[in-house]
Amino acid sequence: MKADRIADPWGARAPYRRHDAWPSRVDAYLAEGVEPGAVQKWVGAASLLHSGGDAMDIAVVDGRMAGVRGRAVDRVSRGRLGPKDLFGWQANASPDRLTRPLVRRDGHLVETDWDTAMELVAARTRELLDERGPGSIGFYTSGQLFLEEYYTLAVLARAGIGTNHLDGNTRLCTATAAEALKASFGCDGQPGSFDDLDHADVIALFGHNMAETQTVQWTRVLDRLAGGDPPRLLCVDPRPTQVARHATLHLAPRVGTNMALLNALLHETIRHDRVDHDFVEAHTVGFEELAERVASCTPEWAADICDVPAARITEAAELVGTTDALLSTVLQGVYQAHQATAAAVQVNNLHLIRGMLGRPGAGVLQMNGQPSAQNTRECGADGDLPGFRNWQNDSHVADLAKVWNVEPSTIPHFAPPTHAMQMFRYAEQGSIAMLWISGTNPAVSLPELARVRALLAQERLFTVVQDLFLTETARLADVVLPAATWGEKTGTITNADRTVHLCEKAVEPPGEARADLDIFLDFARRMDFRDKDGGPLIGWQEPEEAFEAWKRCSAGRPCDYTGLSYDRLRDAGGIQWPCTEANPRGTERLYTDGITWAHPDHCESYGKDLETGAAVDPVEYRSLNPDGKAVLRAAAYVEPHEMPDDRHPFQLSTGRTLYHFHTRTKTGRVAQLDEAAPEVWVEACAADAMRLGLGEGDLVRVATPRGALEARLRVTDIRPGLLFVPFHYGYWDTKEGDGPDGGGPGRAANETTITDWDPASKQPLFKTAAAALTLVARADGRYAPAPTTTASAPSDPDSVPATAGGQQAYATQNSEPGGTP
Amino acid sequence: MKDGIAHTLRALHHGERQLARDLLAVAERHAEEHEVHHVATDLADWSREHADRLAEHAAGEGLRLDDDTPEPRSGEGPEGLLLLHDLRALHLAATENSLHWEMLAQAAQATRDARLLELASACHPQTLRQTRWTDTLIKQVSPQVLTSL
């Protein structure tokens, strides 16, 4: 059976009943003219364009990628693939891939050989180490590399260079997930499992547009909704997402007010005594303070702040407060919004006081956005120490030093690892003089782009960019290193529910492009990093050796990989960590038998003040939580820093669409995905549009105190007073290439966003700004280039032609009704 | 030696000397308050010793610190130090407020003034959070600022 998977991103239904196994359905797409019989080999991998970790096989014909298919036995997807996975692989073969290193000479990037480029990088590094010390060098990496690469980068940056400045773009995406888990459970690590979707009675999605960000897991929800004993959904989202359309109850609060809403839900839960007192007593500390903090947070109080009727808040509280199996998921609507960590922590609190943890259908998924965000976190490439070790705990640092055979003082731990936003500030000030950016595109993805471009273009800043394409960021670099990607190199990725998959090399990279791992290893060799006995600091050459080295670093830690190997992952498919020899099948859920990693001696973090970010010191934590229980951390609602006024009467939120990933470097080069959402747009509701005399397709200007963009207007059922702009669109496919043409209004959402971040997680706030909306030109029969299948659907369905992919988007779906993996 | 570190050594050396003098002055002024007198004198010794050790350390690095070193004026010195200076000033101001809250709370207990005690109990924890915040920021920023000048 074939279907247009652009028009229908989620594919055919396979209804199933609560507690049954999700039936398999194998999705596949082969390039036009390639018959299945012509495929010479299928090479195992997992998706790289979202955090779901859906297993797939890459079809290879004559040394080239020719298609993909899902894997029916995969625990995550049962064979399904979303549109980005079905079509995204084609970007690998783009004619404009980088194939040779580039260096800047007389202001221009010119091709060179690897030896010249790498020697330039190493020479600058040595010079800076001699003159200014390790604090002058920073590394900014990705959520899309492999575990082996992050780990190697972490060792070379922290113990080789000895710098505190190493973070990932996961800072923009799911730093709050990690911080919220550390705040509540003392340690990072996803408590729940995707399998909880099979068992939940109520699924509460807080700022999580699952239909677009994790299409395959949303397919799972749709299949359950179509089956017996379906779950009831609570959707908290200011946009009319597909999740909202399928929800039992949809709340669309004013952006920036999640904290007020959650405190009201907690207030109702406690007021009605829907509290599991035995669980609270046995497994938590801080209940009294939490109860006190939310005592005045009535639904009526929150109704005013959130602009949601009090009765709906009461209903929502009843939904989450009376079910026997609550699964909550959280994503950018919380993580990128005002009071991010405080709000995400209140979701944990709701589960802790209701005892909804560690059993089928009762759990929390603090979601990830990117495919290997989890690896960035666990390997210590994201502003943490490897293996979830605590930088404030000397014995953890000593333990890490032992693994690396260096002195503890080699590893900077006098202060928390520097977060990305601070690193860019140091680069702006000049105290960071070299920035090595791998696999990410800050010139489009960071807030306030005019500032970021100026900062990256500074003469005094030496910038190395390692990527597949000449991105907006790469155009500003001093050295550009061509990288191999997924399908062209081997490594592991761990998805949002701790499932580890092996991605194997299927084809050769183009030209002279090299695996990120090989680039880091080349640098380490040139720098001749040594351990304390004079041996090489990094003793591995191959991905599998790097994986084995990481296993030693993870041993005995919460993210224990010691029971895994490349061979086991090849044979068994995805396995959830922790996985040890004693527990070779991995671990479906954490905290099935109490809280395991919050003890003062074991915890990854002693926590932070949720409102100021001030560190809790070890002594304080020990007296607060001597037995290592979960900590119920309370916080008060605080008004957002930027609120609408006369000049900027709207709130502005940025976000993503189903068809694109990050800054479109891959998805924008794939016909099926690009044509589904070819250009930026802005969403406003019908009442606001009518009031301003605007209509579908009008060219409008969105302006904030930082900058402006122009886009066509899509009139939707978004909440009144709110504008939405997708953040994917930059400039690589425009005339200028790295910024707005002729200095005019740009099309990148981040021209307008504010430089402000959550005090605890340091995640920038992309969802709470004030903006003005004005007409530039009438539509003249044109439509906004926004998909109709998703949250950007027009409020009047007949006003715009439906999004479809046509013949080129037909993919197969082989269902085996009732089949189980 | 990094300029930022030299500057901070001078400031701290001066501060420790000054605190030692202040402690001794307090000890003399309140000689009849025995606990204050003795403990302040003991604490002055600590600060004097700190100053001596700082001078010794600096000498080893070729930097002369003595009592004639002029006190760095507020905001003076390398540009990047201004943030640290301001954070330090905020921290000290918050600490002063914290002590005033403590004094009020103690007085409220002594006079059984429930309203004042309630006020102090409600506000003092936030003052302490202010001091922790400045302390956290100083910890984070100072390694970068002091090593980059």
Side-chain angles (χ1 to χ4, degrees), chain A residues 475-528:
Chain A
R475 285 167 199 266
L476 300 169
D478 297 288
V479 176
V480 179
L481 305 173
T485 184
W486 178 95
E488 301 163 356
K489 60 180 188 175
T490 293
T492 47
I493 53 178
T494 304
N495 80 348
D497 86 338
R498 293 175 278 103
T499 304
V500 186
H501 281 106
L502 180 63
C503 292
E504 301 211 62
K505 178 174 173 174
V507 300
E508 290 298 325
E512 296 175 23
R514 285 187 186 172
D516 299 275
L517 178 65
D518 293 335
I519 299 172
F520 294 144
L521 290 173
D522 178 316
F523 176 72
R525 267 193 307 276
R526 286 172 199 271
M527 294 300 297
D528 196 26

Side-chain angles (χ1 to χ4, degrees), chain A residues 28-32 34 39 41-43 56-61 64-69 81 85-87 89-90 486 506:
Chain A
Y29 173 77
L30 288 176
E32 205 182 322
V34 175
V39 175
K41 61 175 176 176
W42 292 94
V43 178
M56 62 172 97
D57 294 320
I58 302 168
V60 179
V61 176
R64 301 168 65 118
M65 287 190 193
V68 290
R69 71 175 181 203
L81 294 175
D85 293 325
L86 286 168
F87 307 118
W89 58 271
Q90 299 169 100
W486 178 95

Side-chain angles (χ1 to χ4, degrees), chain A residues 5-25:
Chain A
R5 293 298 302 283
I6 294 296
D8 179 9
W10 306 283
R13 291 285 61 70
Y16 72 117
R17 210 185 154 71
R18 186 178 180 195
H19 302 310
D20 283 357
W22 188 23
S24 63
R25 181 192 88 194

Side-chain angles (χ1 to χ4, degrees), chain A residues 131-133 135 165 293 414-416 426 431-432 609 611-615 620, chain B residues 2 83 126 129-130 132-134 136-137 139-145 147-148:
Chain A
E131 287 171 11
R132 304 178 53 177
H165 311 319
R293 187 65 73 101
F414 38 75
Y426 289 152
S431 66
I432 283 183
D609 187 316
E611 289 164 56
T612 68
E620 199 183 336
Chain B
K2 304 270 190 190
L83 174 63
Q126 284 185 320
R129 289 168 68 192
Q130 291 169 329
R132 282 191 208 119
W133 171 73
T134 47
T136 295
L137 280 190
K139 272 196 185 126
Q140 285 172 11
V141 175
S142 51
Q144 188 70 10
V145 171
T147 61
S148 68

